[in-house]
C-alpha cells in the first residue's frame, strides 16, 4: 500500500507561479508521502528545477534528490506531431 | 590525461538556437571526448534538456545519460543577490 501511494505523489509543473507547485509538494509530504516526483515538459522544465531547489533549500532541508530523468514525448500540435522534452525529479525524505 | 580532458568537455547552453549547442557537443565527441556535460542556468535549463534529447535521439543514438544534477547559484543582479537554478547533464559513450 505504501508503495502504491508513493507512485501517485506527483506534481505537474505548468505555467503557474513557482510557489503554487512548491506548496503542492509540501502538502503531499505533509499528507505522508515519503517521496514526491516533480514533472514538467517544454519550457516549464526550468520551473520544475526551481520548484525542486526552492523546496529543498528553503522549506524542507532534509529532502534529497533521489532521481532525475529526462526524455522526449510526442505532442499533437496544429501542424502535426512535435517532440517535446520532459523531466522528472524525485525528491525524498532520508 | 584522458581524465583531465574529459573534465573540460562542457557545453554551456544560453539563448542561441538549440542546434548551435547540439553541434558544439557533436564537435567535442568527434574530437575524442568520451563524455560531454551540458550546463545551463535559469530559463536556459529547458533548452539544455532539448540539446541532450536531440543529441541522443537524432544524432548519436549510442549516447547514454551518465548523470544529471541540479543546484542553485547566487547571481549578482541590479537589485542585490538572486538565486538561480542550474542543471548539468552528462552524456557519454558506452
Amino acid at each position: 500500500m505504501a508503495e502504491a501511494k508513493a507512485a501517485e505523489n506527483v506534481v505537474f509543473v505548468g505555467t503557474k507561479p513557482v510557489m503554487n507547485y512548491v506548496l503542492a509538494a509540501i502538502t503531499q509530504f505533509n499528507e505522508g508521502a515519503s517521496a514526491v516526483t516533480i514533472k514538467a515538459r517544454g519550457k516549464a522544465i526550468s520551473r520544475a528545477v526551481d520548484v525542486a531547489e526552492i523546496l529543498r533549500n528553503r522549506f524542507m532541508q532534509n529532502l534529497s534528490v533521489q532521481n532525475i530523468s529526462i526524455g522526449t514525448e510526442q505532442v499533437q500540435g496544429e501542424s502535426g506531431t512535435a517532440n517535446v522534452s520532459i523531466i522528472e525529479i524525485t525528491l525524498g525524505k532520508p
Side-chain angles (χ1 to χ4, degrees), chain A:
Chain A
M1 278 299 278
E3 288 288 325
K5 191 168 189 315
E8 294 163 14
N9 293 313
V10 170
V11 174
F12 286 99
V13 175
T15 55
K16 292 177 190 168
V18 172
M19 277 306 159
N20 291 35
Y21 305 109
V22 172
L23 281 173
I26 291 173
T27 303
Q28 295 199 2
F29 279 114
N30 286 346
E31 285 172 353
S34 58
V36 171
T37 300
I38 299 160
K39 297 188 181 185
R41 61 188 198 181
K43 289 192 194 303
I45 287 175
S46 335
R47 189 171 293 118
V49 176
D50 289 342
V51 171
E53 285 295 301
I54 290 170
L55 194 54
R56 72 191 182 105
N57 289 330
R58 213 186 301 172
F59 293 101
M60 298 184 70
Q61 269 114 12
N62 62 334
L63 292 184
S64 63
V65 178
Q66 291 184 341
N67 188 57
I68 306 176
S69 63
I70 58 174
T72 302
E73 272 182 3
Q74 298 217 319
V75 184
Q76 285 302 90
E78 291 165 12
S79 50
T81 314
N83 289 323
V84 62
S85 299
I86 58 168
I87 197 167
E88 299 188 1
I89 304 166
T90 302
L91 297 175
K93 294 183 182 175

